[in-house]
Amino acid sequence: MEKGVLKADAGMNALTWNVVGHTYVPKLLSEEAFVWHATIPDGTFVPPHIHPTQDEWIYMLEGELDIEFADEQFKAGAGDTVKMPRGIAHGIFNRSGGTATCIFGVSPARELYKLFTELDGVSDPAELVRLSALREVNFLPPPDAQ
């Protein structure tokens, strides 16, 4: 990690990614953690998936998200922190009628930064699933396929 200040309107290396319709802006990367700002439009989502080697969290800035685990569902709003432990399937949905903004993080960083670079602009679900599996993010099959 480099010392200094990364301005609010900037991403690391001037990067901004479009991943599953969300805008992700990388803010911090070290071996121990990867942190990014996310803008999540209404009606978009990250399907249920598992990070087998990373804990993930979200700190909500604005808006509302639905967080779904296999056995529980939660609503998260401004000021809330969502905790998604490694090895536990979770999905993230914006059904709020408005945009949500938040800060995401994973620990350890592992391959997620590289994955987002590879997923930028990918719209084919099968390709997204394939690339993600190569970088330790495993998407669950749709409910009707289980």
Side-chain angles (χ1 to χ4, degrees):
M1 175 171 56
E2 295 179 15
K3 68 178 182 293
V5 174
L6 183 60
K7 294 297 187 180
D9 62 349
M12 294 172 42
N13 304 313
L15 287 173
T16 299
W17 300 306
N18 177 341
V19 179
V20 297
H22 302 169
T23 301
Y24 292 165
V25 180
K27 294 294 186 173
L28 178 143
L29 179 63
S30 72
E31 287 185 28
E32 292 79 26
F34 171 42
V35 176
W36 65 99
H37 180 276
T39 303
I40 303 175
D42 179 49
T44 63
F45 61 95
V46 180
H49 62 285
I50 296 171
H51 300 259
T53 60
Q54 297 170 304
D55 293 319
E56 183 177 17
W57 66 91
I58 305 169
Y59 179 77
M60 296 295 300
L61 299 171
E62 295 179 310
E64 188 176 89
L65 293 175
D66 293 328
I67 310 301
E68 297 183 3
F69 297 95
D71 56 348
E72 291 183 274
Q73 297 183 8
F74 299 92
K75 287 200 179 294
D80 292 342
T81 300
V82 178
K83 301 177 286 183
M84 300 166 285
R86 70 188 72 196
I88 297 180
H90 57 277
I92 303 161
F93 301 83
N94 184 346
R95 302 178 180 116
S96 69
T99 298
T101 58
C102 49
I103 302 293
F104 277 78
V106 293
S107 179
R110 305 287 293 176
E111 299 282 320
L112 204 58
Y113 180 94
K114 289 179 185 175
L115 176 60
F116 287 168
T117 299
E118 295 164 351
L119 291 181
D120 184 29
V122 171
S123 59
D124 175 44
E127 182 65 358
L128 182 138
V129 168
R130 185 188 75 77
L131 290 170
S132 297
L134 296 174
R135 301 283 184 203
E136 302 178 314
V137 176
N138 303 313
F139 283 90
L140 277 57
D144 57 353
Q146 292 181 354

